[in-house]
Amino acid sequence: MNTSTRPTVLILGAAGRFGGAATQAFAQAGWRVLAQARKPLTALPPGAEALQLPLDDGPALARAATGASVVVHALNPVYTRWGQDLLPLAEASMDLAQHLGARFMLPGNVYNFGTDMPRLLTEATPHSATTRKGRWRSALEARLAARASQGLRSEVIRAGDFFGSGEGSWLDLAIAKDMAKGKLVYPGPLDRAHAWAYLPDLAQAFVAVASQPSVPGVRTLHFAGHTLTGAELLAAVERVARPLGLLPAGPVKHGGIPWGLMRALGWAVPIWRELAEMAYLWELPHALSGDALQAVVGPLPATPLDEALRRSLRAMAGAPHQEAAVAA
Ligand SMILES: NC(=O)c1ccc[n+]([C@@H]2O[C@H](COP(=O)([O-])OP(=O)(O)OC[C@H]3O[C@@H](n4cnc5c(N)ncnc54)[C@H](OP(=O)(O)O)[C@@H]3O)[C@@H](O)[C@H]2O)c1
């Protein structure tokens, strides 16, 4: 793409899991990427420029991002602070997008649907959040609809649990955390389908949607990703990790997550309370239908599961574990 004609995307939260993947994908597709983070960013791809500015300096961000036609909201407050920070951070991003006349793009999650959600989640599935975090997410998406009357154009691309970019996913913090000791953990019964999003693929979906003309108002599209039961996921981890020498030979020990204990002690350990609130997602089989997204952008790159896991497990093995919250 000619440098004078290439479109510009502002990625808010470029140091995060999705923000990092989006930075890579947009830059690879030839976009000029303005990668906002509050800390220094290292190893940006060619075509990406760091904007080390805080979110609350709106005027400076707006000046630095002049010309951006897309704002990707890849910010995610610390899991224990969603009540305080989720909506204000999103409002700041929406203000910026409106000021720039840019289209606003949000990675949505499945929290909006609550404990009565059907097995197959389509764009027509009603939102019926049953948790505080689900209600905050629904409120966030309602704000996009409210701002549509002021001209904001938004896209929500809803996805399952992230894996495959950076640290802090269920895969590295729990499931495969102790694979070197021959142990794999699964947070729920092994026979329930669960929706996963391999981040480089999800980021490509954002690029594909952003590369098409925007539509008025809010458009929501679901990203199918990989739908796997616990048994399927653990079998795939075993299949991929053994030849890489990341899982020792011999029988694998299986562990779970002590949800009951975490619930009981949630009053003392806030992150346990927050995580336990969402434990139902491991009990309820669910999948996202990607049909509408495919109808809009055509077939998307879909990294086969084993390859996606191979890259993710390799990256994990090279990076030290961090005790952080698994936050969707
Ligand atoms: N994680 C999932 O499985 C999942 C699934 C579906 C949808 N989503 C959604 O996708 C979006 C991105 O999630 P993610 O997991 O990629 O996020 P993440 O890695 O947890 O964090 C994104 C970034 O937000 C920044 N941030 C947090 N609080 C901030 C604040 N007060 N001011 C400025 N920056 C702040 C952080 O900056 P620092 O690096 O400086 O701390 C971080 O780099 C969220 O809306 C999330 O709900 C996530």
Side-chain angles (χ1 to χ4, degrees), residues 12-19 36-39 54-55 73-78 82 85-86 89 106-110 137 140 159-163 167-168 170 199 202 327-328:
L12 298 170
R17 287 173 283 257
F18 179 69
Q36 180 279 338
R38 53 186 175 178
K39 59 190 177 198
L55 249 285
H73 180 76
L75 296 160
N76 194 26
V78 173
W82 277 29
D85 295 346
L86 188 85
L89 278 179
L106 171 78
N109 66 15
V110 299
R137 293 302 294 206
L140 194 173
D161 271 327
F162 293 171
F163 75 106
E167 298 171 359
W170 277 104
L199 279 163
L202 177 63

Side-chain angles (χ1 to χ4, degrees), residues 71 73 90 93-94 97 102-106 144 152-155:
V71 171
H73 180 76
S93 294
M94 289 183 240
R103 160 185 190 183
F104 181 90
M105 296 187 79
L106 171 78
L144 297 179
L152 184 68
R153 293 177 174 223
S154 325
E155 316 267 3

Side-chain angles (χ1 to χ4, degrees), residues 110 113 119-121 158-160 195 222-225 227 286-290:
V110 299
F113 298 115
R119 278 171 178 261
L120 186 66
L121 302 167
R158 196 179 307 290
H222 285 186
F223 176 80
T227 303
H286 62 277
L288 288 151
S289 164

